[in-house]
Amino acid sequence: MMKKKQYNLINIIYNDLFFYGKQQLLLLLLVLMSAMLVILVTYHTRSMIMDREKLFLERDTLDTEWRNLILEEKILSDHSRIERIAVNKLQMHYVDPTQNKMFH
């Protein structure tokens, strides 16, 4: 009777990869490494885009605040408003040059 020979599949794959398929194994490793680098670069790119968008929003907020401050400065430095406050709250009035007394 003929004895059946059993083959170990793991040994066959190992022998095929490391003795006959070194180039294919190297290419497989390079493709996997390339895929991981693509994932890493994509992650960093998206992170940088999100940071840029946050900075744009902050810039817009600061720009709006700056414009409001300029408007407030113009309103507060209006001469008629200052004159009205001086007359009403501080009881100030214009001095007639003829009534001006010089101290000697």
Side-chain angles (χ1 to χ4, degrees):
M1 188 185 266
M2 193 171 185
K3 193 173 184 184
K4 289 187 177 181
K5 185 176 179 184
Q6 287 191 345
Y7 296 100
N8 189 351
L9 184 60
I10 295 175
N11 284 338
I12 293 172
I13 293 173
Y14 176 81
N15 288 334
D16 283 347
L17 282 178
F18 289 104
F19 293 118
Y20 303 111
K22 289 182 183 178
Q23 291 176 344
Q24 290 83 358
L25 185 61
L26 178 65
L27 288 175
L28 176 65
L29 291 176
L30 289 175
V31 166
L32 290 176
M33 188 169 56
S34 173
M36 293 302 291
L37 289 174
V38 166
I39 291 170
L40 184 66
V41 167
T42 303
Y43 170 77
H44 285 295
T45 302
R46 288 182 180 176
S47 176
M48 291 171 72
I49 288 172
M50 288 186 338
D51 290 343
R52 189 183 92 187
E53 290 299 321
K54 286 178 186 176
L55 289 173
F56 279 149
L57 287 173
E58 184 178 349
R59 182 194 67 184
D60 290 343
T61 303
L62 290 173
D63 189 44
T64 303
E65 183 179 350
W66 177 72
R67 288 180 187 189
N68 288 337
L69 287 173
I70 287 177
L71 287 173
E72 183 179 352
E73 180 186 24
K74 286 182 180 182
I75 290 171
L76 290 176
S77 66
D78 185 28
H79 294 294
S80 61
R81 180 180 178 277
I82 294 173
E83 185 177 344
R84 188 174 60 250
I85 291 172
V87 170
N88 294 338
K89 288 187 177 181
L90 301 175
Q91 306 301 321
M92 296 176 82
H93 60 282
Y94 285 105
V95 176
D96 187 19
T98 58
Q99 294 177 345
N100 191 6
K101 296 180 184 177
M102 298 291 284
F103 292 103
H104 297 280

